[in-house]
Amino acid sequence: MQSVGSLLKYITVSLVFLVLFVANAFFLQATWLGLVLLAGMLLFYGRSPIGAAQLIALLSILGGIAYYLDLLTLPFATGVVIAVPLICFWRPMQTSGGTRWPRLSSFLSRPSTYHLPLTTFFLFIILATTSILTRTEIIEPVRSPWLVIPTAFFIGIFFLALLLASKPSRLTLTIFFLLTISVALLSYPLGYGFDSFIHKATESHILEHGTITPKPLYYAGQYALVLIAAHGFSIPVALADSYLVPLLAGLLLPLLAWRSLKSGALVLFLLPLSSFIATTPQALANTWSLAAILVSIPLLKKEKRTNQDHLALWIFAVAAVFTHPLAGIPIIIYAVLLELFTRDYKRLGYLTAGLGSISLPAIFLLNAKISGLNVTLSFKNIFTTPWTELLGLHLFVENRFHPFLDAAYLFGWNRILILLTLTIAGIIILRRIAGRSGPAFPLSSFLFPPAIMLINYLLLSTLIGFDFLIDYERSNYSARIFEMMQFMLLPILGIVVGRIFEVLKEKPAPLRFGFTLLTAMILTASVYMTYPRHDNYEISRGFNVGQSDFETVRYIHGLSDTSTIDYVVLANQAVSAAAVQEYGFLKYSEGDIFYYPIPTGGPLYQLYLEMVNIGPTRERAEAAMNLADVDTAYFVVNDYWWMSDKVIENAKREADHWISLSNGATTVFTFIR
């Protein structure tokens, strides 16, 4: 029960917060004040890192409901934030038993476990590596950030990894994880990826118009958070969107992992982390899913279980559902199985596991039938698919005379084998513990969820063909399920890694040093493998959106009457993303044909591919005009495109006009009917 003094403090702080919040939302609209108020709300009403995350997840759920009802406006955003002090007032300050969740104040004020010289060195490296990223502004198209970011960055990362591996702590783990997934955020000032540009444009459209047509069925959880930040706290959409996942995942996941696994939390770096480097609905849903898995570990072990753990599990799981079904459905299955098996409802658990194993293929087929998408079902692939390649079960040992790359790929390309080995070790450890302590560690709780995701992955990869997608995107859906399977192995993997650290405490110093060095190398390799690579081992075929792409779309936009978009553009994904960021969803023709080739599975993008791969002919340009019902088409060729010189020379003979922009980075051809 709260004391009178605590109650008065709570009421006073809440009144001050609400007055400033309302004044800023409706009158001042100052971004800096909005950021301060948002941080203050999470710190004060969240009361702990996990509590703050739950508050964000609740806002995502409530905002998601408002999104579907077309109520995601300024009145709703302010109303839901005003309700926060009342909602949090009734939540108990701490659970009376079980695991006590660390308060933010204790996390921030905890003294360092290092001596002063080592702490100073640690802080210096953090500042140096962060400075390298912020000073390396990648504004031109490149295949990989590692082609631009100086090698000194990895020297700093290795020393940070060495310090973390030698003496893991909650603070060092959080800083290293946050830095790992923030490389793109800090070094790509124009934005990173492709999907993120589309979602930012969607959020900006909803902010301006209150809704969007057609309304996306998914993604509500992300749009809700960004729009609450924009409406209620006057934070620009681009800022709120860009920082959402890197900050949320970078702070929440390592803190949850440390709480549940201690030194075993380093297992995070054995997981695929590339989905957390930029804000997309899939990335946010993965964050909520992994948070749910981490908070469930005390429940899986049937020790220190609290009502807070159950509540957090379900809040994070529901937030994932509202954000993206490819993460939301698996994590709901996970939560249901955990509740059934830990409460000894085994028959219901087996039934749920059986249905869950075919749930995702069934949902895809049903959705395709409802939406009219071209999805095929074929059983012959079950017998012709190379299973070892599909599962990544191949041993890679190779020397290409580059020590760092050899070591990085020795880890990266054998990562699935490493996970499999640790999983087998984890099963052995859990069986031994179960033999000593009875039903404390029900193996079904640990093994069924990843096994279910593995079956779903295999079925999606072999039975279902996503013919409505472009060739190189058809494995995307099944690949995301494979990621979820690896996330669900985390409880077993964390227990194994934690046990290794415990055993090594009693071993001789040379052995401990060797393990520390190996761990630091793996951590460094994990950072490198998290981002696209273009090196002796891999060829990255993707390019980021560059300044030249923005200059190109501005040039094209300025050639016509901006009140009427009477042209169509044949360009690659990067140019299209720049156009959407600059001008939003300006023009759709009959048949939902956007005036830039989005999506890549659409007919306009197929015409673009024919122009660059087969030949830039007037007939193909006029086919694009017919699709968009216009009389002008622009064809954009980036200088990094395969055989761009030949394409450009052929297009010059066909086009009515052409111009080279950004010192030859792009060439724009004009076709007039």
Side-chain angles (χ1 to χ4, degrees):
M1 186 173 179
Q2 300 182 39
S3 65
V4 175
S6 297
L7 183 60
L8 288 174
K9 175 185 174 183
Y10 188 91
I11 293 174
T12 303
V13 172
S14 296
L15 287 174
V16 172
F17 166 75
L18 291 175
V19 169
L20 290 174
F21 170 74
V22 171
N24 191 59
F26 288 96
F27 305 108
L28 302 176
Q29 297 181 341
T31 298
W32 70 268
L33 182 56
L35 290 169
V36 171
L37 290 171
L38 178 59
M41 182 185 77
L42 296 176
L43 287 169
F44 184 74
Y45 297 110
R47 300 172 184 166
S48 72
I50 306 173
Q54 285 186 84
L55 183 55
I56 296 172
L58 283 172
L59 292 176
S60 178
I61 295 168
L62 294 173
I65 296 172
Y67 166 82
Y68 290 121
L69 298 174
D70 287 336
L71 297 175
L72 201 49
T73 57
L74 176 59
F76 171 81
T78 53
V80 75
V81 173
I82 289 172
V84 166
L86 184 61
I87 295 171
C88 294
F89 175 77
W90 297 106
R91 192 179 67 190
M93 292 292 290
Q94 281 287 0
T95 300
S96 57
T99 304
R100 294 175 64 85
W101 290 3
R103 288 168 170 265
L104 283 166
S105 56
S106 66
F107 170 71
L108 295 172
S109 61
R110 184 180 295 274
S112 173
T113 56
Y114 299 111
H115 296 297
L116 182 60
L118 199 56
T119 302
T120 304
F121 181 58
F122 182 71
L123 292 174
F124 171 76
I125 297 177
I126 293 170
L127 292 174
T129 50
T130 304
S131 176
I132 289 173
L133 293 178
T134 54
R135 286 188 290 106
T136 307
E137 293 189 338
I138 303 176
I139 60 174
E140 296 303 329
V142 294
R143 296 174 186 262
S144 166
W146 309 135
L147 297 175
V148 181
I149 295 174
T151 306
F153 171 77
F154 279 102
I155 297 174
I157 283 291
F158 177 74
F159 278 111
L160 286 176
L162 201 60
L163 291 168
L164 173 59
S166 63
K167 200 172 183 63
S169 72
R170 184 168 54 184
L171 180 60
T172 55
L173 175 71
T174 302
I175 290 174
F176 192 87
F177 188 84
L178 182 61
L179 188 58
T180 296
I181 64 174
S182 297
V183 171
L185 177 68
L186 298 177
S187 58
Y188 287 85
L190 300 178
Y192 178 81
F194 172 74
D195 290 348
S196 60
F197 287 90
I198 306 302
H199 293 300
K200 285 176 186 175
T202 303
E203 291 154 357
S204 296
H205 187 95
I206 298 173
L207 179 69
E208 182 179 354
H209 301 285
T211 187
I212 190 168
T213 303
K215 182 190 294 292
L217 180 61
Y218 317 124
Y219 319 144
Q222 174 178 315
Y223 295 169
L225 289 178
V226 173
L227 291 169
I228 288 172
H231 277 306
F233 295 93
S234 300
I235 300 172
V237 164
L239 183 65
D241 183 288
S242 298
Y243 280 82
L244 176 57
V245 167
L247 271 185
L248 180 63
L251 295 173
L252 175 63
L253 298 182
L255 292 177
L256 282 177
W258 183 263
R259 170 183 174 266
S260 297
L261 299 168
K262 294 298 185 286
S263 298
L266 269 68
V267 75
L268 284 174
F269 298 97
L270 295 180
L271 300 178
L273 300 179
S274 57
S275 65
F276 302 108
I277 63 179
T279 299
T280 63
Q282 182 71 58
L284 181 59
N286 283 356
T287 301
W288 294 133
S289 299
L290 198 48
I293 293 168
L294 288 167
V295 83
S296 73
I297 292 176
L299 303 175
L300 282 169
K301 296 193 294 186
K302 286 192 172 182
E303 63 181 22
K304 301 179 180 178
R305 55 193 300 167
T306 69
N307 291 331
Q308 284 182 315
D309 292 319
H310 281 281
L311 180 62
L313 167 65
W314 282 102
I315 288 177
F316 293 148
V318 173
V321 170
F322 271 87
T323 307
H324 202 296
L326 277 182
I329 294 172
I331 202 61
I332 286 293
I333 294 173
Y334 176 92
V336 171
L337 283 175
L338 183 145
E339 296 288 0
L340 292 175
F341 282 123
T342 57
R343 297 177 188 274
D344 295 324
Y345 295 115
K346 292 185 178 179
R347 290 186 179 180
L348 280 176
Y350 296 144
L351 176 62
T352 303
L355 294 174
S357 297
I358 60 171
S359 59
L360 292 172
I363 290 171
F364 269 110
L365 291 173
L366 179 63
N367 180 64
K369 185 174 183 179
I370 294 173
S371 306
L373 298 175
N374 187 17
V375 172
T376 57
L377 183 65
S378 174
F379 290 90
K380 67 178 182 179
N381 291 335
I382 294 178
F383 307 102
T384 59
T385 299
W387 294 97
T388 54
E389 291 184 15
L390 192 63
L391 297 173
L393 297 176
H394 47 78
L395 180 63
F396 170 80
V397 180
E398 199 166 323
N399 180 8
R400 300 192 183 180
F401 307 103
H402 192 299
F404 174 73
L405 292 181
D406 292 341
Y409 281 95
L410 182 65
F411 159 73
W413 282 1
N414 290 306
R415 192 176 57 81
I416 300 301
L417 284 177
I418 295 171
L419 294 183
L420 178 61
T421 303
L422 291 175
T423 299
I424 295 172
I427 293 172
I428 295 171
I429 292 173
L430 289 177
R431 286 179 63 88
R432 289 178 179 176
I433 295 175
R436 292 196 302 266
S437 57
F441 282 78
L443 277 174
S444 52
S445 302
F446 286 87
L447 297 179
F448 270 53
I452 290 169
M453 287 305 107
L454 179 60
I455 294 171
N456 276 285
Y457 166 67
L458 295 175
L459 292 176
L460 281 175
S461 301
T462 57
L463 294 182
I464 298 180
F466 300 98
D467 297 340
F468 66 93
L469 293 174
I470 198 167
D471 290 347
Y472 54 80
E473 293 181 352
R474 291 179 182 176
S475 62
N476 283 359
Y477 291 133
S478 57
R480 296 179 193 182
I481 302 304
F482 195 55
E483 277 192 352
M484 286 300 302
M485 185 273 290
Q486 295 172 66
F487 293 160
M488 290 182 183
L489 287 173
L490 193 142
I492 296 178
L493 301 174
I495 290 173
V496 174
V497 173
R499 183 60 61 91
I500 292 173
F501 272 94
E502 289 178 10
V503 170
L504 282 171
K505 289 179 181 178
E506 310 300 326
K507 298 301 180 181
L511 183 61
R512 294 200 305 272
F513 175 76
F515 178 77
T516 298
L517 189 62
L518 176 63
T519 303
M521 293 172 64
I522 290 175
L523 295 176
T524 306
S526 176
V527 176
Y528 183 78
M529 300 297 289
T530 296
Y531 296 85
R533 300 166 299 282
H534 188 75
D535 51 36
N536 294 347
Y537 286 90
E538 286 193 5
I539 297 176
S540 174
R541 303 192 183 279
F543 287 83
N544 61 287
V545 179
Q547 187 64 46
S548 57
D549 299 314
F550 285 99
E551 292 175 5
T552 299
V553 299
R554 290 169 190 150
Y555 168 78
I556 293 174
H557 189 76
L559 291 177
S560 65
D561 181 2
T562 56
S563 63
T564 304
I565 304 301
D566 55 356
Y567 60 87
V568 67
V569 181
L570 295 172
N572 68 9
Q573 284 179 297
V575 176
S576 301
V580 170
Q581 170 131 328
E582 282 291 289
Y583 306 111
F585 304 104
L586 276 184
K587 170 72 179 293
Y588 276 91
S589 303
E590 188 174 348
D592 284 338
I593 301 297
F594 190 55
Y595 75 119
Y596 274 80
I598 298 174
T600 54
L604 204 57
Y605 193 74
Q606 293 302 319
L607 284 171
Y608 166 73
L609 291 179
E610 291 177 14
M611 291 281 277
V612 292
N613 292 332
I614 301 176
T617 64
R618 177 170 292 276
E619 289 74 18
R620 293 190 174 98
E622 289 182 353
M625 297 180 209
N626 293 335
L627 273 175
D629 192 23
V630 294
D631 294 323
T632 303
Y634 298 104
F635 172 48
V636 181
V637 181
N638 296 75
D639 64 349
Y640 54 73
W641 197 267
W642 181 69
M643 293 183 67
S644 61
D645 291 342
K646 181 179 178 181
V647 174
I648 290 171
E649 290 305 314
N650 289 337
K652 287 179 180 178
R653 292 193 291 267
E654 297 280 333
D656 295 292
H657 175 70
W658 66 272
I659 186 172
S660 179
L661 302 173
S662 302
N663 295 320
T666 60
T667 305
V668 179
F669 298 91
T670 305
F671 292 84
I672 301 173
R673 194 192 300 270

